[in-house]
Structure formats: structure tokens, C-alpha cells
Amino acid sequence: MTALTELTLTAMRAGLAAREFSARELTTAHLEAAEAARALNAFITLTPDHALAAAEAADAALARGAAGPLAGIPIGHKDLFATAGIRTTAASRMLADFVPTYESTVTARLLAAGAVPIGKLNLDEFAMGSSNESSAFGPVVSPWRAGNCDEALVPGGSSGGSAAAVAARLVAAATGTDTGGSIRQPAAFCGVVGIKPTYGRCSRFGIVAFASSLDQAGVLARTVADAAVVLEAMAGFDPRDSTSLPEPVPPWSARLSADLTGRRVGIPVEYRADGMDEAVERLWAEGARWLQDAGAQVVDVSLPHTAQALPAYYVIAPAEASSNLARYDGVRYGLRVVPEGGGLMEMYEATRAAGFGPEVRRRILIGTYVLSAGYYDAYYAKAQRVRTLIARDFAEAFRVCDLLLAPTAPTGAFPLGAKSADPIAMYLNDVFTVPASLAGLPAISVPAGLDARGLPLGLQLIGRPLDEQGVLDAALAIETRAGFCASPARWWGDDSGPS
Amino acid sequence: MAVTAETVRTVARLARLRVSDDEIPALQEELTRILSWVDQLQAVDTTGVEPMTRVMPVTRAWRADEVTDGDCRDALLANAPQAVHGFFAVPKVIE
């Protein structure tokens, strides 16, 4: 029999429903796998007690025939979601000891659906980063390695722990958040599926805020069908989030279809950037052929303001971050540092200097600068005008096509430390993911091939607002044809493991 | 456009972020690089273009003006670095 951790989430559901194995057995297998994978540093906190209690409840519900859609499914949560009674750190020293007294809407919905929370997953500090190296709890190491080389690679970021845990079979699926590519880029680097729904589909209530007009929760999973099932359980209107969409959640998983007859897929010509990895370019062309094979018509489209998306993002996101992170003042929760004899102002400044890491501080300073008197119009207002143009570009493109196909990232994963010294080189990782974030559009990354080093590459599909079905269907068509079944060779942990 | 040491100090003060003197040169250089890079936005013609103020065209529904939350003082204070008599406590504000 296949190891329980190797099953897809869909196969786990079938096995649990048929009582081939219990939720407790499934949970124990994943807890052991997570325990044995400490070398990846994917988890900040493991929650075996919560997991086993949820598994017992799931087994009881399954026996009664009253199980929720995710009953007994082991999942992980990016440590940006508030979990009642479980430390929630945002991978920052600022929140190293923060234990929320309330539950985020997304994690509450997954609990209600019967999911089993294995633990809290590592990320870039406050979700700011593209390599998971800015975590105060140390970097996540990708389960993937290039060929026979044992050099440590980044898993991507900011949902790097989520992507690594799903790829390494430590969880069946994981929550993530995507502000400028933080679900899609790590999904691509780790060879898993990652979907960011339309802005407002999933409630932001209880998610530690980074850039509120961009932050959106989503899922990382091993197949498109698995991702659809989990997203369905997470999404939906929430009166506690003022930007939550009052729209019903369609049965995406039941309606999944790889038949794209009558659909038109646009190839944004401006995404053909210089310096794109040759394997990425080849895979992109291959992806277009797969979609044609599935019945779609492929057309070239233009998104004229693509080159301005990244600079606009790196004004808007830091501006919102500087405002959101003003709350960490040492007064109500989180770290407090009071210098000897210091007053309130000294406490604010010392607390924030000690609590925030370099990338977070850099973004707070940039954000404060672009919002300050005299610069607001030149930077922030200008960037928001450019953002309007970027959204218009997409609206124009969607007059002639239903979906867009693009690479997820310009290259595959890079070694730990390779881009740490140069913030702008790091920011360029997000060049293909940021535009859809600025426009609030649903987008997915699906693993589709390997680069010359044998590392995963992802293709990205971007859809119209609320057309998660469209991006899921096209991703399924690619998944079916790409036949991507590579998984990282297990180099971590002790093979004998705890039995 | 070069960010001066004085600008770094001013912005850090606005952000309530203590920055030591030996950190200033590196921050000056980083901020200068990043701001010069985002300066390419100035080349975009945005005449007559409104800044985006909402991502999805949704108007919030009205709700009844009723209290839906509250009575949770202890939960709010649970993570306070210092709480005294049911209040957040801070270092002396007035000498």
C-alpha cells in the first residue's frame, strides 16, 4: 500500500469515506513526517495535540456519516492566520510570543469543514519576501535539490513553509496568502499547485495585515482538484471583512472540467521579458499548445503597462505596510522594549527597532517616505493611478480572451543567499505575479515541467474577476497534459523514522 | 535622486523606528536605489486617470446599528506586555 502521506487530498477523502484508514492513522503519519522533516524548517509550531483531537472528532463524524468536506484531512496554516490558543508569529520577533484569543475566518471555516491542523508554517517576516529568508525563525529549505548537488535552495516566498510542506508530503494542503505572488511563486518553485482567488473571495479577518488592498488568502496543494476542494471550504462572504465579496461560492470542484472548447486564452506579449530562462520560455509555448489541445483558441494580447506594475507595487505595498505595521507599538500586544529610563517615545522606537527585521524595516521606511508630506502625490498617488491603468489593461485584454497564460516566475528556485544582498533583484521574482495582484484577479500556478537543473517550473493562469472556475479548468487541462509527477527525492530526516 | 542622511533620520522618526548612526549610510544607499528604481513611474502619462481606491466594485451593504461585539476586556488584555487594573499600562508619558 502507498504511504498515506503520498496520497492526494482527493484520494485521502475517498480512503477516509471508505474507512480504509482512519483520520487518526492519517494524522499520525503526517505528524511523524513533519517531525522527521525538521531540516526543512517548514513549521514554526507543530500542534500535535490539536491535530489528534481534530482527528478523533473527524473519525467520530465519519462513523456517524456526518463528516464535513475536509474531515480528517491534515493541513497546515501559514503562520499569518490567527489561531485561537496557538501561537501566531508572522515569522517576526515582534509576535514571537503572541497567542491570539480569536480564530481567523479562513482557519475557522477549515476547522468547521473537519480539517486537521498539523501546525503553523514558516514564511517571510510579515509575508515580506520572495525566498522565505526573512523569517525570524530561520529560512525554509526547499525539499528540492538540483541534480546531485546538495546546495540548499529557497522554496520561494512568502508562503515558503506552505509550499515546502505540501511538496515534502508533510501536509495534504496548506493555506497561504498572496500579496504580490506569495502563493504562486513558492508553488512554482516547489512543484505544487497554488491558487490566489479574486480579491475579496476569502475573508482577511484574522490574517496579520501586510498590504490590505492586495492581501488575499488561498491554497497550496498537490493537484488542481485538491486545491479546488480546499478553496471552496475557505471562501465566502464575511461581514467582519469590509472588502469581503457578497458572492456565493460556486461548487468549483464538482464543476472542474479540462474541456476548454470555446475558450480563448491570451498570451500577454509584454511578458516576453529579456533574461527569461530558456526552459521557462519553452514551457510557456508548450503550455499554449496544451491549452489548444484542450480546445482553447490562443491569441496574442497586449498589457501595455506591464513594466510599470512592479515599481507601482513597490510603492503601494510598502505604503500600506507602513500604515498597517504602525500598530506594533509595544502597548497592546507583541514585543515591548523599554530602554533604561526611557519614556513612551523611546519605547516605541526601541520596540520597533528590536522587533522588525531588515526587510520589514526597509519597507516601513520606504512606505513612510512615499506617504510623507511632499512625496505623497509624486509616489503614492502616482502609483495608484498607474494601478488603475494596469487594471484597465486586463479589462481590455478580457474583451478578446477569457484567460491569460504566462509563466509564474522568470526562473526556477535559486540557492539560499543568492539574492539577499540586492533587494531589487529579489523583487524581480514577482514580475509576472504582481500585475494580477494589483488588479485583484484570480490566478493559479500549476507545475508543468522542470528546468535544466531538474527543478520545477510553474505556468500561471489569470482569469476575470470571480472566474476561479476558468483558471482551475485551464490549470486542470495543463496538469493533465504536462503529466508532472516529479517529487523531491527525500534527503531530509531519518529514513527509519519513528514507527 | 539621492536620499540624504537627514532624510533617513526624519523618515525613521516618523516611522518610530530607532536607527543608529552606523546604519544610516547603508539605508541611504538602499533607499536611494529603490526610490530611483520606482521613479520610472514618472514616465507614465496618467493625465485624467483617477487613482485606484478599491479593487473590486463593491458597495458595502448597510447593517443595523447594533452592538455585535464587546464584553471581551480580558481577551483584549491577554497579550498586553503590561496590564494594570484592566487597562493597558505604558511608561510615564509626562515627566
Side-chain angles (χ1 to χ4, degrees):
Chain A
M1 186 181 153
T2 317
L4 292 178
T5 51
E6 288 294 325
L7 299 173
T8 63
L9 186 150
T10 305
M12 289 178 197
R13 289 173 82 199
L16 286 164
R19 307 309 283 147
E20 286 165 22
F21 44 81
S22 67
R24 194 187 167 84
E25 287 167 319
L26 190 60
T27 298
T28 305
H30 283 87
L31 284 170
E32 283 170 2
E35 196 61 57
R38 296 266 177 191
L40 302 179
N41 202 26
F43 285 93
I44 290 176
T45 309
L46 280 170
T47 55
D49 295 348
H50 288 84
L52 290 170
E56 300 285 346
D59 277 328
L62 285 158
R64 281 200 313 274
L70 294 174
I73 301 297
I75 61 166
H77 293 307
K78 187 177 187 178
D79 204 15
L80 202 64
F81 291 86
T83 42
I86 299 168
R87 180 169 80 135
T88 299
T89 68
S92 179
R93 276 189 297 279
M94 188 63 88
L95 293 173
D97 302 312
F98 177 64
V99 179
T101 53
Y102 66 103
E103 188 81 19
S104 82
T105 298
V106 161
T107 52
R109 287 191 176 174
L110 291 171
L111 271 178
V116 170
I118 297 289
K120 303 296 293 289
L121 294 157
N122 206 344
L123 64 150
D124 279 298
E125 185 179 6
F126 284 102
M128 296 179 197
S130 307
S131 65
N132 215 124
E133 292 172 291
S134 76
S135 168
F137 295 83
V140 174
V141 177
S142 174
W144 288 87
R145 285 175 167 180
N148 295 323
C149 175
D150 61 4
E151 184 175 35
L153 302 174
V154 302
S158 67
S159 308
S162 303
V166 171
R169 274 69 178 159
L170 315 182
V171 290
T175 54
T177 61
D178 193 310
T179 302
S182 280
I183 288 174
R184 291 162 283 160
Q185 184 255 20
F189 278 17
C190 289
V192 300
V193 173
I195 181 166
K196 173 200 97 74
T198 310
Y199 179 79
R201 267 290 191 200
C202 293
S203 171
R204 288 183 295 109
F205 178 78
I207 300 176
V208 176
F210 161 15
S212 302
S213 79
L214 295 154
D215 296 344
Q216 182 55 210
V219 189
L220 296 99
R222 288 195 289 274
T223 70
V224 172
D226 289 1
V229 171
V230 180
L231 189 62
E232 241 168 73
M234 289 164 59
F237 176 68
D238 178 9
R240 289 180 298 186
D241 171 3
S242 65
T243 56
S244 174
L245 293 171
E247 298 287 336
V249 177
W252 293 311
S253 58
R255 288 185 189 163
L256 261 185
S257 161
D259 178 5
L260 304 182
T261 308
R263 306 264 179 94
R264 290 165 71 99
V265 177
I267 306 292
V269 294
E270 288 82 2
Y271 282 42
R272 290 200 186 104
D274 293 338
M276 185 189 284
D277 188 302
E278 213 178 288
V280 173
E281 206 168 345
R282 253 199 322 271
L283 188 66
W284 190 12
E286 184 78 42
R289 283 192 291 276
W290 286 328
L291 294 176
Q292 278 172 326
D293 184 55
Q297 192 187 339
V298 173
V299 294
D300 277 352
V301 297
S302 175
L303 300 171
H305 297 90
T306 295
Q308 282 81 43
L310 209 52
Y313 175 87
Y314 277 99
V315 170
I316 295 165
E320 294 188 22
S322 75
S323 170
N324 271 326
L325 271 59
R327 73 190 65 182
Y328 301 102
D329 54 9
V331 174
R332 291 154 299 165
Y333 49 83
L335 185 73
R336 169 183 289 191
V337 177
V338 189
E340 186 69 34
L344 195 60
M345 185 63 87
E346 290 76 22
M347 180 189 86
Y348 291 152
E349 293 187 343
T351 297
R352 292 163 62 77
F356 295 136
E359 181 61 25
V360 174
R361 294 170 62 189
R362 189 179 293 138
R363 295 204 198 186
I364 289 175
L365 291 174
I366 290 284
T368 305
Y369 181 89
V370 301
L371 289 177
S372 61
Y375 299 104
Y376 182 94
D377 284 329
Y379 288 101
Y380 184 70
K382 182 78 183 182
Q384 290 287 34
R385 287 180 212 278
V386 172
R387 188 177 183 183
T388 298
L389 292 174
I390 289 163
R392 273 189 206 165
D393 284 355
F394 279 109
E396 283 298 314
F398 286 133
R399 289 155 67 106
V400 296
C401 66
D402 303 299
L403 290 163
L404 297 165
L405 175 71
T408 307
T411 65
F414 47 88
L416 237 61
K419 300 190 179 181
S420 310
D422 184 354
I424 293 173
M426 187 68 87
Y427 297 170
L428 287 169
N429 269 293
D430 304 329
V431 64
F432 299 136
T433 47
V434 150
S437 294
L438 288 169
L441 302 171
I444 196 169
S445 176
V446 58
L450 300 171
D451 69 8
R453 301 165 299 161
L455 298 173
L457 295 172
L459 285 175
Q460 180 184 207
L461 292 140
I462 303 168
R464 292 194 180 96
L466 300 176
D467 189 22
E468 283 79 8
Q469 192 73 63
V471 303
L472 286 163
D473 286 354
L476 181 67
I478 288 180
E479 181 180 64
T480 310
R481 286 164 181 80
F484 185 92
C485 56
S487 63
R490 188 166 171 227
W491 53 264
W492 59 90
D494 171 13
D495 268 342
S496 60
S499 55
Chain B
M1 186 214 54
V3 175
T4 64
E6 195 41 46
T7 302
V8 174
R9 285 198 189 88
T10 305
V11 172
R13 199 156 48 240
L14 287 171
R16 302 289 183 267
L17 212 48
R18 195 185 60 201
V19 171
S20 64
D21 282 345
D22 51 337
E23 292 174 284
I24 300 261
L27 283 172
Q28 250 181 285
E29 196 197 313
E30 278 174 11
L31 297 193
T32 300
R33 274 202 68 206
I34 295 171
L35 290 168
S36 307
W37 176 67
V38 302
D39 252 349
Q40 58 185 289
L41 293 176
Q42 306 310 328
V44 184
D45 182 3
T46 53
T47 315
V49 178
E50 288 298 311
M52 184 184 277
T53 50
R54 54 185 177 178
V55 188
M56 288 293 133
V58 173
T59 310
R60 286 292 289 166
W62 292 87
R63 69 164 174 84
D65 185 15
E66 286 162 358
V67 176
T68 57
D69 201 355
D71 203 16
C72 51
R73 188 189 73 184
D74 291 349
L76 286 172
L77 291 173
N79 279 290
Q82 196 189 356
V84 181
H85 307 307
F87 294 95
F88 294 108
V90 296
K92 211 171 181 181
V93 180
I94 301 165
E95 294 304 321

